[in-house]
Amino acid sequence: MKNRDRIIRYYQGTDNGELAARLIDLADSTAKGRPYAVSEFVSPGAVQIGETIQAHVPSLVLKTFGGYEGAERVKLAFVSADYDGPVDFGIIACRLSWDDRYRLLGHRDVLGSLMSLGVGRERFGDIIMQDAGAVLLADTKLVPYLQQNFTKIAMVSIAIEEMPLWDIAPRQEKVKEIKTTVASLRLDA
């Protein structure tokens, strides 16, 4: 890619230079003959980096997938424009369940337990909290490790079972309507 250094310099200002370099390498591997290349899980801001790279390489198409509709953390795939087959993002859903009468566990508890196992944030996606458990979207290669080592969250024993991705409900956007009276409709007031 001829604009590689320019793109990396631009995103180094936002501390995303290293991520931009990794995504450019993925795009280059697809441009050199692979049908597609998939990144690790990335934050929502990284999608913009992928779109910038795709704009400089017209022979590629950028696809994103996080396991369900409306996912916050997603994987990016640079796909060759002439490839029309399926893209394997390597995402699996795991249902985490525990006995909630002992303790109410939250998103922070689940995330903290995963991080304490030494699992990098790029290896798993969204954590969707439910009544007596949670759904964890993870890289398929991570699941055997989780099943063997992820046994407790904050001293509460948990059970892990795989589940199909289509069982995850789409994300509901929470909207809060605020009614107020303003002195003027001008923005500087």
Side-chain angles (χ1 to χ4, degrees):
M1 173 182 283
K2 61 183 176 180
N3 294 325
R4 175 186 179 91
D5 293 333
R6 235 175 47 188
I7 294 171
I8 292 172
R9 261 196 319 269
Y10 177 78
Y11 284 108
Q12 276 179 333
T14 59
D15 293 332
N16 285 325
E18 186 178 315
L19 176 61
R22 286 197 313 264
L23 292 177
I24 289 171
D25 290 342
L26 282 175
D28 282 344
S29 70
T30 304
K32 290 178 182 172
R34 290 179 64 184
Y36 62 87
V38 179
S39 74
E40 65 273 355
F41 281 99
V42 294
S43 62
V47 176
Q48 181 187 6
I49 299 171
E51 290 170 348
T52 302
I53 294 167
Q54 188 268 326
H56 288 350
V57 186
S59 64
L60 297 181
V61 176
L62 177 69
K63 295 185 179 184
T64 61
F65 184 62
Y68 68 103
E69 186 179 330
E72 186 174 319
R73 294 184 58 81
V74 297
K75 285 188 171 191
L76 306 177
F78 292 101
V79 183
S80 178
D82 57 352
Y83 177 73
D84 60 350
V87 176
D88 180 17
F89 283 90
I91 298 174
I92 194 162
C94 298
R95 186 182 319 274
L96 310 176
S97 56
W98 56 80
D99 188 355
D100 64 343
R101 64 187 164 144
Y102 294 113
R103 180 169 177 182
L104 293 174
L105 298 175
H107 185 278
R108 180 186 299 179
D109 299 314
V110 178
L111 180 61
S113 294
L114 283 167
M115 299 298 274
S116 70
L117 287 175
V119 178
R121 190 66 178 106
E122 69 278 355
R123 300 292 307 275
F124 59 94
D126 289 358
I127 301 169
I128 306 164
M129 298 307 294
Q130 296 178 337
D131 292 336
V135 175
L136 171 69
L137 291 143
D139 193 294
T140 53
K141 297 174 187 168
L142 182 65
V143 173
Y145 177 79
L146 290 177
Q147 289 174 333
Q148 189 174 22
N149 298 304
F150 192 39
T151 58
K152 290 187 178 203
I153 298 174
M155 305 294 281
V156 176
S157 295
I158 63 167
I160 300 175
E161 62 179 315
E162 294 179 23
M163 65 180 277
L165 292 175
W166 59 81
D167 282 352
I168 301 172
R171 183 178 181 161
Q172 298 294 324
E173 292 294 328
K174 296 178 183 175
V175 178
K176 182 178 180 182
E177 185 175 327
I178 300 174
K179 293 184 180 184
T180 186
T181 305
V182 293
S184 172
L185 294 178
R186 290 179 41 172
L187 289 175
D188 61 347

